[in-house]
Amino acid sequence: MELGRVGIWTTAFDRHPSAAAQEAARELEELGYRTLWLNEAIGRDPFVMAGLLLAATSRLTVATGIANIYARDAMTTEAARKTLAEAYPDRFLLGLGVSSPALVAKVRGHEYRRPLSYLRSYLDAMDAAPFAALGPEGPQWTVLGALGPKMLELAGTRTSGAHPYLTTPEHTRQAREILGDKPLLAPEQMLLLERDPATARAIGRAAISFYLRAPGYLANLRRLGFADEDWANPKQASDRLVDALVAWGDLDTVVARVREHHDAGADHVAVQVLRGDAEIPLPEWRTLAPELL
């Protein structure tokens, strides 16, 4: 599976017709991007959407970043993974994660258990799941939305690697040390082609505010040296936190942040382009392609 050094991570498709998402995926492929990451929250089903986008393209890898393990049982996830992998060999990457108590308990109505042990047992159940249909040939790739040391260790020993979200190049360096040389390390990086500090930080704050209520993300930010004062009001994160998590400025500035992740040990960086509106960021993807690919 060839992910490329840089891929695109987006939530923008949920606000547009599926046909528009398919057209955007085709253009991404033509621009030279190798991988497209889809999220899961309260929008479209990522496996169904992956199938639509894979069908619309011929070379693009589609990855889930990150499919919520509380949204479907392990047998269903394994069947979905094998179905897509058989239909589109070497083009579907399964990303799994434990989500957050807010989405799991308050929105989905499930009990949020101990995340590490629950995810480990979920992987065991996937391995043991029966599948009576024609399956894919060759090994299948899975990554975990891992942040802390123990989750990163699980990603490195039980899966193909890790897809950390809402992190910094320093976290990438630490993650590479924990994972070792071989496992895939594919962090996500938010960026914004906006030079005005007030405008850029306002958009950045809006993008990260939800995550500043999730215990797992906050624990990781504390490990990176940030403190409760940086998110005392989740909607008004400190400048230093916004600037650390969201690369903004001119083209050279945001590209430099992506390269910092590579220098810190990332194999692949999933770039999430932010905008101040709900449009698919195709203009930015076009601008970035010659510099990132």
Side-chain angles (χ1 to χ4, degrees):
M1 185 175 290
E2 295 293 336
L3 302 181
R5 294 277 283 171
V6 175
I8 291 297
W9 198 107
T10 188
T11 66
F13 292 162
D14 273 352
R15 297 181 288 274
H16 296 270
S18 295
Q22 290 177 308
E23 182 59 35
R26 282 191 287 269
E27 180 164 349
L28 277 178
E29 186 173 67
E30 292 171 1
L31 288 169
Y33 293 100
R34 299 296 302 271
T35 304
L36 172 61
W37 296 79
L38 303 175
N39 77 314
E40 178 168 33
I42 55 173
R44 292 191 176 109
D45 182 280
F47 292 92
V48 176
M49 198 64 195
L52 291 172
L53 299 179
L54 287 164
T57 55
S58 60
R59 302 179 305 279
L60 194 69
T61 294
V62 177
T64 56
I66 287 289
N68 184 348
I69 61 173
Y70 290 90
R72 53 195 67 80
D73 64 29
M75 188 176 185
T76 301
T77 297
E78 182 65 9
R81 187 250 295 268
K82 287 180 175 175
T83 299
L84 289 170
E86 186 278 328
Y88 305 98
D90 298 323
R91 294 180 56 208
F92 178 69
L93 172 60
L94 174 63
L96 293 174
V98 296
S99 189
S100 69
L103 284 175
V104 172
K106 294 181 180 179
V107 177
R108 294 186 178 274
H110 300 300
E111 178 187 358
Y112 192 79
R113 308 176 193 178
R114 297 173 64 183
L116 183 66
S117 59
Y118 186 68
L119 181 52
R120 185 183 290 113
S121 65
Y122 193 93
L123 294 173
D124 292 340
M126 285 181 62
D127 289 343
F131 185 71
L134 178 67
E137 296 182 359
Q140 303 307 302
W141 283 38
T142 302
V143 294
L144 301 183
L147 293 173
K150 291 183 179 180
M151 195 67 81
L152 284 164
E153 289 173 3
L154 181 65
T157 56
R158 289 292 305 276
T159 73
S160 308
H163 174 53
Y165 185 89
L166 202 74
T167 63
T168 65
E170 173 58 23
H171 181 271
T172 296
R173 185 190 64 77
Q174 297 174 12
R176 176 50 74 197
E177 291 179 357
I178 294 169
L179 288 170
D181 294 335
K182 291 185 178 180
L184 174 73
L185 179 54
E188 173 269 353
Q189 174 64 60
M190 295 183 189
L191 61 80
L192 181 65
L193 289 172
E194 172 59 61
R195 299 187 185 192
D196 178 70
T199 301
R201 287 175 175 145
I203 295 171
R205 283 191 178 93
I208 68 175
S209 63
F210 170 79
Y211 306 104
L212 300 183
R213 299 175 175 86
Y217 288 114
L218 297 183
N220 189 57
L221 292 174
R222 291 188 186 100
R223 284 190 293 268
L224 291 171
F226 298 97
D228 290 5
E229 63 191 42
D230 288 303
W231 54 79
N233 179 351
K235 293 184 179 181
Q236 293 296 326
S238 69
D239 285 354
R240 76 165 187 144
L241 181 60
V242 174
D243 293 350
L245 297 176
V246 182
W248 57 268
D250 60 19
L251 184 60
D252 289 343
T253 300
V254 300
V255 168
R257 178 72 64 85
V258 175
R259 289 175 177 158
E260 285 182 46
H261 283 284
H262 285 136
D263 292 343
D267 301 295
H268 171 94
V269 180
V271 169
Q272 181 179 181
V273 176
L274 304 179
R275 289 177 57 106
D277 56 31
E279 294 303 309
I280 297 173
L282 271 168
E284 291 86 349
W285 295 346
R286 295 170 188 141
T287 299
L288 289 164
E291 302 299 323
L292 293 178
L293 302 178

